[in-house]
């Protein structure tokens, strides 16, 4: 198996087009044409991770966090990033990052957090806009089913809760084939009327190429007429954060204990407790301060995330409890998620989760110094 097969699968799970503007997901070192000897999954890429990969016979590291965020003008081993890149190249180890694009899909990082907390009726907290497009085409009745199924197979008409979604209406198409044409229906130089199906399907913008190719390959006409319309609608199942409900409301202190137990925490930084039961939970793996107001608007009782700055805590304004559980802690189960995703696809291939804790943050508790 080549590394390209792994890359193609991961980008089907979480398309690169969904990553944030600042991000750098994708293959960062190595070649897709290399034969893959094994996959090591981790949250971060460190020098120790590369040593572990080499020891375990893995020449592909799949990590959540990209080791390269900014452009490198030199690679001279003067920083940990440069040393890791040099080491990966020397060891012929490919590094693939699947970051904010994995944050953005329903079954990604935030879905894993929601599952760990036992949340129900989970949805995206802030769905993205401007990702959907509508394809409109005309097909002779005799081939409508064939073309429609081809579009569905290419990913059109697929939403978070529904699949095979389309709208169809009947009408009469007219055309006259010019000299040199090879019409599927009608004769050269003669006006032709044909009963056609007007077919409308939604598609994600990042999947447009595949859908159009499916249309062209399945449509019987020599020249296929179609329109593509960009939509501003929110896209179900794609976006930032998540929100769901507990199976039953619990007191705030009990919820904090649930966080500590679920994520093996040393500490939870939080705003003032409000003396209310927790039922509706908003969350965002990693840095989620940009979603505080969205969590309030969604009437969440608590917002679980990380990297909240001092002044951002004031945004709670007694309307919500903000719980900062730490960046690594909030995303630690991403390695389990990616390992599971890869093992389900590549049943007879070595996919291993790292044995290392890559968290660069430690906690010195007051009792330790007393």
């Amino acid at each position: 198996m080549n590394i390209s097969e792994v890359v193609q699968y991961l980008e089907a799970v979480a398309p690169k087009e969904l990553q944030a503007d600042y991000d750098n997901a994708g293959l960062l070192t190595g070649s897709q044409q290399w034969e893959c000897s094994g996959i090591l999954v981790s949250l971060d890429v460190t020098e120790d991770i590369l040593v572990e990969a080499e020891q375990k016979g893995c020449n592909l590291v799949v990590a959540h966090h990209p080791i390269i965020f900014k452009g490198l003008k030199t690679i001279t081993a003067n920083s940990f990033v440069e040393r890791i890149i040099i080491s990966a190249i020397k060891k012929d180890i490919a590094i693939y990052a699947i970051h904010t694009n994995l944050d953005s899909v329903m079954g990604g990082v935030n879905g894993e957090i929601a599952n760990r907390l036992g949340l129900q009726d989970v949805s995206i907290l802030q769905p993205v806009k401007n990702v959907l497009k509508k394809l409109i085409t005309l097909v002779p009745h005799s081939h409508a089913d064939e073309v429609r199924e081809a579009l569905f197979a290419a990913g059109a008409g697929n939403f978070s809760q529904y699949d095979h979604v389309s709208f169809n209406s009947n009408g009469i198409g007219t055309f006259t084939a010019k000299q040199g044409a090879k019409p599927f229906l009608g004769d050269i130089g003669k006006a032709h009327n044909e009963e056609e199906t007007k077919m409308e399907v939604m598609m994600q913008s990042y999947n447009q190429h595949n859908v159009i190719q499916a249309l062209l390959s399945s449509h019987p006409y020599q020249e296929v007429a179609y329109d593509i319309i960009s939509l501003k609608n929110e896209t179900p199942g794609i976006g930032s954060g998540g929100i769901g409900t507990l199976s039953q409301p619990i007191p705030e202190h009990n919820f904090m204990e649930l966080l500590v137990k679920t994520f093996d925490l040393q500490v939870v930084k939080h705003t003032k407790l409000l003396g209310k039961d927790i039922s509706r939970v908003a969350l965002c793996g990693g840095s989620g301060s940009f979603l505080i107001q969205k969590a309030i608007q969604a009437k969440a009782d608590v917002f679980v995330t990380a990297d909240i700055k001092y002044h951002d805590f004031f945004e709670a304004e007694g309307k919500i409890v903000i719980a900062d559980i730490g960046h690594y802690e909030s995303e630690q189960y991403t390695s389990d998620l990616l390992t599971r995703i890869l093992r389900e696809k590549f049943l007879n291939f070595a996919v291993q989760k790292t044995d290392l804790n890559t968290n660069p943050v430690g906690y010195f508790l007051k009792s330790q110094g007393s």
Side-chain angles (χ1 to χ4, degrees), residues 105-155:
V105 295
M106 192 70 183
V109 176
N110 296 306
E112 183 72 10
I113 296 172
N115 289 337
R116 298 277 176 164
L117 288 173
L119 300 186
Q120 302 174 351
D121 302 320
V122 179
S123 60
I124 296 293
L125 180 58
Q126 181 174 272
V128 297
K129 297 181 180 180
N130 302 314
V131 170
L132 285 177
K133 292 188 176 184
K134 180 189 286 188
L135 169 69
I136 304 173
T137 189
L138 304 174
V139 188
H141 287 343
S142 59
H143 285 68
D145 290 342
E146 179 182 343
V147 172
R148 191 182 302 111
E149 289 303 317
L151 297 178
F152 291 155

Side-chain angles (χ1 to χ4, degrees), residues 173-186:
T174 67
F175 56 86
T176 300
K178 296 180 181 180
Q179 196 66 37
K182 297 178 180 178
F184 176 71
L185 297 165

Side-chain angles (χ1 to χ4, degrees), residues 241-271:
I243 188 165
T245 57
L246 295 168
S247 58
Q248 60 183 20
I250 60 175
E252 291 167 322
H253 282 89
N254 290 24
F255 183 77
M256 293 299 168
E257 290 173 354
L258 174 64
L259 290 178
V260 169
K261 180 179 179 181
T262 302
F263 297 97
D264 191 25
L265 306 178
Q266 297 293 321
V267 64
V268 179
K269 294 168 62 179
H270 63 81
T271 54

Side-chain angles (χ1 to χ4, degrees), residues 133-141 143-152 156 166-171 173 195-203 211-212 214-229:
K133 292 188 176 184
K134 180 189 286 188
L135 169 69
I136 304 173
T137 189
L138 304 174
V139 188
H141 287 343
H143 285 68
D145 290 342
E146 179 182 343
V147 172
R148 191 182 302 111
E149 289 303 317
L151 297 178
F152 291 155
S166 70
F167 179 79
N168 304 270
S169 55
N170 297 329
E195 291 187 355
E196 294 179 325
T197 298
K198 181 181 181 181
M199 192 176 301
E200 303 179 36
V201 292
M202 301 278 209
M203 61 185 175
V211 174
I212 296 304
L215 171 66
L216 297 178
S217 62
S218 61
H219 202 292
Y221 285 174
Q222 182 181 12
E223 294 182 356
V224 181
Y226 60 89
D227 295 322
I228 296 176
I229 302 173

Side-chain angles (χ1 to χ4, degrees), residues 320-336:
I320 195 171
V321 175
I322 300 173
D324 184 333
I325 64 174
H327 196 117
Y328 175 88
E329 289 79 3
S330 72
E331 296 183 331
Q332 61 184 294
Y333 299 123
T334 304
S335 297
D336 297 88

